């Protein structure tokens, strides 16, 4: 595929700054930030535009905090200026150039795809394969600490094969390297230390202790819109390798989780070894969750448990997903009843994809206080 001939000056446009701010305004949960920003909105937006125009924009510091949904996760929140620039970079640089290079089976966080599309593909593939009335095997692979281990140098080389404009590449590098500063790990240590002082279970203490730190030259900031796009693109080469060179017709990847379907277990063992070897050049490794499963025993993917029984495909909701839903419903019932209505509607759509038992479970969480 041809390189992108996009020029830096083409994305430096005040209307793009304004449009990006409006997107951020809709998606920002912390409305207090928006109120303060809005008081001097024109001045702030002109400042963003001028920094981009002069080529002196540099990514600012992150606000780092913990969320528990249900597992502990670190989130790196940007200030509004950086969010606006990230939105511009995502919408006008990355998506137009990278999306056409992605295969259909790369499903996470893409327009028209996402969880629903991954689910539909999985159901479609299993539906086709079960017609043969043979045992179906599934290689399910998971990449260890994916976001934290994406190598900056490798990622930048991939982007240099797409973009030719040096100013565009400089902006992308600035965002990618924004996790390199020493304060990032210091603040992660600080928020984890504060949480460990609370009266929490031993399980949650161990969970907190497992949260990784950023190594210099590795990892994308968790929470950035650009990080999502760069993460799905980082393994684009692996996707093409699996589909085109290994000739795996039935393959799906959802960010760092991938599945390959086949009738031949030995072939899947060989494919696993080849994937591991390919990932070495990306400086990534598979984690201990990677395994080969029988469809008759079942496997979990994107929160659902799929298995084939008596020639029928059965889909159920994973227990971890049920626990997370119950916790969220309980919390929102106390703290945000308006959001609770939207979340219940979303859960209903998610649950009704399951073959059995979804109505009873939805009724159960709907009544919980």
């Amino acid at each position: 595929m041809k390189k992108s001939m996009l020029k830096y000056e083409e994305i430096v446009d005040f209307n793009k700054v304004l449009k990006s701010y409006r997107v951020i305004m809709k998606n920002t949960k912390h409305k207090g930030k928006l109120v303060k920003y809005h008081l001097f909105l024109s001045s702030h937006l002109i400042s963003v535009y001028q920094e981009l125009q002069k080529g002196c924009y540099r990514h600012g510091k992150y606000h780092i905090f913990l969320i528990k949904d249900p597992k502990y996760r670190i989130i790196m929140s940007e200030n509004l200026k950086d969010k606006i620039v990230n939105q511009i970079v995502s919408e006008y640089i990355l998506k137009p150039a990278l999306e056409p290079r992605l295969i259909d089976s790369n499903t996470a966080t893409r327009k028209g795809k996402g969880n629903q599309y991954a689910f539909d593909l999985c159901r479609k593939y299993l539906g086709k394969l079960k017609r043969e009335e043979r045992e179906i095997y599934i290689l399910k692979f998971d990449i260890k600490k994916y976001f934290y281990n994406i190598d900056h140098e490798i990622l930048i080389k991939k982007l240099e094969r797409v973009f030719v404009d040096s100013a565009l590449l400089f902006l992308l590098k600035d965002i990618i390297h924004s996790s390199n500063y020493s304060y990032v790990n210091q603040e992660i240590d600080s928020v984890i230390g504060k949480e460990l002082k609370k009266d929490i279970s031993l399980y949650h203490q161990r969970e907190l202790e497992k949260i990784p730190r950023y190594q210099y030259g590795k990892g994308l900031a968790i929470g950035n819109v650009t990080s999502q796009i760069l993460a799905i693109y980082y393994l684009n080469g692996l996707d093409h390798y699996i589909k085109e060179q290994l000739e795996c017709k039935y393959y799906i990847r959802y960010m760092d989780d991938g599945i390959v379907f086949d009738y031949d277990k030995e072939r899947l063992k060989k494919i696993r070894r080849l994937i591991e070897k390919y990932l070495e050049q990306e400086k990534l490794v598979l984690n201990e969750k990677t395994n080969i499963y029988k469809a008759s025993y079942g496997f979990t993917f994107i929160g659902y448990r799929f298995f084939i029984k008596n020639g029928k495909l059965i889909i159920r909701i994973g227990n971890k997903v049920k626990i997370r839903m119950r916790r969220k419903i309980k919390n929102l019932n106390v703290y945000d009843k308006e959001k609770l209505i939207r979340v219940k509607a979303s859960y209903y759509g998610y649950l009704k994809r399951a073959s059995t038992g979804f109505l009873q479970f939805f009724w159960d969480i709907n009544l919980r206080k």
Side-chain angles (χ1 to χ4, degrees), residues 343-360:
V343 168
K344 282 183 177 179
S346 174
Y347 282 175
Y348 182 81
Y350 184 88
L351 290 164
K352 73 177 183 180
R353 299 177 200 161
S355 306
T356 58
F358 84 90
L359 282 173
Q360 180 58 49

Side-chain angles (χ1 to χ4, degrees), residues 118-174:
F119 174 88
D120 290 342
L121 269 185
C122 192
R123 183 172 58 182
K124 175 185 173 182
Y125 289 166
L126 285 169
K128 282 185 177 181
L129 289 163
K130 72 182 180 67
R131 292 174 193 165
E132 293 288 325
E133 297 184 355
R134 296 161 60 188
E135 183 65 75
I136 303 165
Y137 293 92
I138 301 95
L139 166 61
K140 185 171 182 288
F141 65 87
D142 190 290
I143 297 167
K144 187 175 182 180
K145 304 296 181 187
Y146 182 51
F147 264 80
Y148 289 95
N149 286 313
I150 289 175
D151 187 273
H152 292 184
E153 186 179 346
I154 292 173
L155 175 57
I156 289 166
K157 284 180 180 177
K158 291 176 188 289
L159 295 173
E160 286 173 343
R161 291 195 287 269
V162 177
F163 301 101
V164 296
D165 188 85
S166 58
L168 277 182
L169 286 165
F170 185 88
L171 179 58
L172 293 172
K173 290 173 188 178
D174 180 67

Side-chain angles (χ1 to χ4, degrees), residues 295-352:
S296 56
Y297 290 168
F299 66 99
T300 302
F301 183 58
I302 57 167
Y304 296 94
R305 184 158 184 81
F306 299 83
F307 61 96
I308 293 173
K309 186 176 182 181
N310 299 324
K312 291 183 178 180
L313 174 60
I314 309 295
I315 304 167
R316 291 182 178 158
I317 307 298
N319 288 330
K320 288 182 179 179
V321 174
K322 290 181 179 180
I323 291 167
R324 184 166 67 246
M325 286 181 173
R326 286 192 176 104
R327 284 178 178 170
K328 193 158 190 174
I329 291 287
K330 184 178 179 180
N331 289 337
L332 290 176
N333 193 57
V334 175
Y335 299 110
D336 195 340
K337 291 186 183 293
E338 185 179 336
K339 185 178 178 181
L340 178 63
I341 297 168
R342 299 195 300 273
V343 168
K344 282 183 177 179
S346 174
Y347 282 175
Y348 182 81
Y350 184 88
L351 290 164
K352 73 177 183 180

Side-chain angles (χ1 to χ4, degrees), residues 191-347:
V191 295
I192 289 174
K194 288 176 183 176
E195 192 70 15
L196 286 169
K197 289 177 182 177
K198 296 179 181 178
D199 184 18
I200 58 174
S201 67
L202 182 62
Y203 172 81
H204 285 126
Q205 288 178 31
R206 288 173 179 168
E207 197 177 81
L208 284 167
E209 288 164 1
K210 288 179 182 177
I211 291 176
R213 305 304 189 266
Y214 282 91
Q215 301 175 56
Y216 188 87
K218 283 185 177 288
L220 297 177
I222 296 175
N224 279 11
V225 62
T226 50
S227 294
Q228 297 290 323
I229 301 168
L230 292 170
I232 62 171
Y233 183 69
Y234 190 77
L235 288 179
N236 183 49
L238 174 67
D239 295 332
H240 284 277
Y241 175 68
I242 291 172
K243 286 286 284 187
E244 295 157 14
Q245 294 188 46
L246 300 185
E247 299 180 337
C248 297
K249 186 178 179 181
Y250 304 110
Y251 165 66
I252 310 168
R253 179 166 71 88
Y254 192 89
M255 198 57 79
D256 56 340
D257 292 330
I259 50 174
V260 182
F261 302 93
D262 205 289
Y263 296 121
D264 188 340
K265 186 177 181 179
E266 293 306 312
R267 172 170 147 78
L268 287 181
K269 286 180 181 178
K270 181 180 179 181
I271 288 168
R272 175 180 176 166
R273 291 193 294 270
L274 290 169
I275 289 173
E276 286 177 319
K277 188 174 181 180
Y278 187 97
L279 287 174
E280 286 177 11
Q281 69 189 34
E282 308 290 356
K283 297 187 179 178
L284 296 169
V285 295
L286 298 178
N287 70 16
E288 66 281 354
K289 296 178 187 176
T290 299
N291 212 337
I292 295 173
Y293 301 88
K294 286 183 178 180
S296 56
Y297 290 168
F299 66 99
T300 302
F301 183 58
I302 57 167
Y304 296 94
R305 184 158 184 81
F306 299 83
F307 61 96
I308 293 173
K309 186 176 182 181
N310 299 324
K312 291 183 178 180
L313 174 60
I314 309 295
I315 304 167
R316 291 182 178 158
I317 307 298
N319 288 330
K320 288 182 179 179
V321 174
K322 290 181 179 180
I323 291 167
R324 184 166 67 246
M325 286 181 173
R326 286 192 176 104
R327 284 178 178 170
K328 193 158 190 174
I329 291 287
K330 184 178 179 180
N331 289 337
L332 290 176
N333 193 57
V334 175
Y335 299 110
D336 195 340
K337 291 186 183 293
E338 185 179 336
K339 185 178 178 181
L340 178 63
I341 297 168
R342 299 195 300 273
V343 168
K344 282 183 177 179
S346 174
Y347 282 175

